[in-house]
């Protein structure tokens, strides 16, 4: 199901002219499991990963596979470990250009609910900052789990510096979605009112 949804998302983004270059597959169960439950998950993942390697348009993306972690990765140091697995080691070639690029840019992380967007984006932001890029990580998720992942209080809706990252500065913010939508409606309403009187 997740592969099909990712393929639909990729198609929709391509239709809008949004470039997509990387795909991260989270929670990949390796061969070290000894439980029937994890064996079933590994078999299903194997089938889906073969689809990615086959004729799927997703197979054209740089693919990074992250191992199954049996605990929640919270805080800068665990996120650095996730980053070492996702963006270094066997996955380093796929991410080298993006991480080394000195230009200002936006990197968007998307996907269906529960696939690891927050952990992925937080670990990528930690990696960028560790590599010397001043980084701002913004979450629009109404669940407000970014502060939990970074172990930083982001409840104010303001930009906050994340401590514990060596290299460059890392800042984060959880957008208060309801407030942002209300502000957008106010601004758009003002524009349409202004245009109507001209």
């Amino acid at each position: 199901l997740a592969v099909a949804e990712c393929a639909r998302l990729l198609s929709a983004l391509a239709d809008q002219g949004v470039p997509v270059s990387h795909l991260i597959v989270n929670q990949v169960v390796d061969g070290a499991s000894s439980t029937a439950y994890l064996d079933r998950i590994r078999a299903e993942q194997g089938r889906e990963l073969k689809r990615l390697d086959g004729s799927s348009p997703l197979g054209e993306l740089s693919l990074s596979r992250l191992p199954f972690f049996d605990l929640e990765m919270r805080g800068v140091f665990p996120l650095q470990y996730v980053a070492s697995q996702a963006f270094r080691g066997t996955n380093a070639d796929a991410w080298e250009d993006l991480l080394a690029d000195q230009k200002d840019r936006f990197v968007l992380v998307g996907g269906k609910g529960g696939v690891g967007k927050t952990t992925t984006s937080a670990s990528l932001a930690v990696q960028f900052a560790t590599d010397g890029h001043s980084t701002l990580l913004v979450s629009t998720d109404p669940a407000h789990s970014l502060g939990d992942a970074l172990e930083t209080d982001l409840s104010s809706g303001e930009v906050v510096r994340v401590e514990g990252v060596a290299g460059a500065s890392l800042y984060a913010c959880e957008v208060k979605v309801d407030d942002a939508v209300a502000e957008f409606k106010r601004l758009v309403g003002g524009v349409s009112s202004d245009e109507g009187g001209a």
Side-chain angles (χ1 to χ4, degrees), residues 150-161:
L150 294 168
E151 292 189 329
T152 301
D153 182 5
L154 301 176
S155 62
S156 70
E158 301 294 321
V159 174
V160 174
R161 184 181 176 116

Side-chain angles (χ1 to χ4, degrees), residues 91-107:
N91 295 318
D93 289 346
W95 294 91
E96 183 177 359
D97 291 343
L98 183 67
L99 291 168
D101 192 342
Q102 295 299 313
K103 295 183 292 191
D104 291 342
R105 64 203 170 274
F106 291 97
V107 177

Side-chain angles (χ1 to χ4, degrees), residues 12-165:
L13 292 171
D15 289 347
Q16 297 297 318
V18 177
V20 178
S21 57
H22 294 80
L23 176 65
I24 297 177
V25 179
N26 279 319
Q27 304 292 1
V28 176
V29 178
D30 64 17
S33 164
S34 62
T35 68
Y37 173 71
L38 290 177
D39 286 342
R40 284 192 305 272
I41 290 175
R42 182 176 41 256
E44 178 63 26
Q45 287 177 341
R47 283 190 293 277
E48 294 301 316
L49 288 169
K50 282 181 185 173
R51 285 179 56 198
L52 290 179
D53 295 335
S55 62
S56 170
L58 296 171
E60 298 172 14
L61 302 175
S62 293
L63 179 66
S64 298
R65 299 174 190 204
L66 269 172
F68 172 74
F69 298 116
D70 61 354
L71 56 106
E72 212 171 288
M73 302 305 246
R74 296 176 56 169
V76 168
F77 296 113
L79 290 170
Q80 285 174 330
Y81 179 75
V82 172
S84 75
Q85 301 297 301
F87 316 118
R88 297 294 186 213
T90 59
N91 295 318
D93 289 346
W95 294 91
E96 183 177 359
D97 291 343
L98 183 67
L99 291 168
D101 192 342
Q102 295 299 313
K103 295 183 292 191
D104 291 342
R105 64 203 170 274
F106 291 97
V107 177
L108 305 177
V109 175
K112 64 180 268 180
V115 296
K117 295 179 299 292
T118 300
T119 301
T120 298
S121 59
S123 61
L124 182 57
V126 167
Q127 187 66 59
F128 272 125
T130 300
D131 287 355
H133 304 283
S134 291
T135 304
L136 172 62
L137 176 58
V138 179
S139 174
T140 58
D141 187 348
H144 295 303
S145 56
L146 180 60
D148 295 334
L150 294 168
E151 292 189 329
T152 301
D153 182 5
L154 301 176
S155 62
S156 70
E158 301 294 321
V159 174
V160 174
R161 184 181 176 116
V162 178
E163 300 299 329
V165 179

